[in-house]
Amino acid sequence: MLKAIVVGCPGAGKSTFARKLRDASNLPLYYLDMLWHKPDQTNCSREEFDKGLKEIIKKEKWIIDGNYQRTLEIRLKEMFTVRGK
């Protein structure tokens, strides 16, 4: 397993599960909330978010934690894409 997404209802334990999966698999973990929310408590633009997400999903290995329904299809597609070397 090289790619995984963690989705679920708010408060369901997504982040806890994602951290446990990271610890067990040694895959890098990315939180979509950290991509969406800026340090000054505002949100980035949709374009900035999409650009950051595209940078993450291009990587060979990852766990992505977060719902963000409009990006689910692209994450699922990338999760099942096998890239040649």
Side-chain angles (χ1 to χ4, degrees):
M1 177 181 76
L2 298 175
K3 299 176 182 176
I5 59 172
V6 180
V7 296
C9 299
K14 292 183 300 296
S15 296
T16 300
F17 176 77
R19 284 190 299 274
K20 289 181 180 182
L21 183 58
R22 175 201 58 204
D23 294 346
S25 67
N26 292 315
L27 294 173
L29 173 57
Y30 301 95
Y31 296 98
L32 293 183
D33 282 345
M34 294 179 102
L35 188 61
W36 178 244
H37 300 288
K38 292 181 177 183
D40 66 0
Q41 298 183 0
T42 62
N43 297 331
C44 66
S45 69
R46 195 178 241 202
E47 292 78 20
E48 289 173 301
F49 181 88
D50 291 350
K51 181 181 176 187
L53 178 59
K54 286 177 184 176
E55 289 176 16
I56 293 168
I57 63 175
K58 283 182 188 177
K59 298 176 186 290
E60 187 176 320
K61 302 175 183 182
W62 44 255
I63 300 167
I64 299 176
D65 172 355
N67 288 334
Y68 295 82
Q69 177 97 19
R70 74 174 187 82
T71 68
L72 186 58
E73 185 175 342
I74 190 170
R75 288 181 283 145
L76 286 169
K77 183 178 177 182
E78 284 298 320
M79 194 171 73
F80 292 109
T81 298
V82 178
R83 298 189 189 278
K85 294 191 178 205

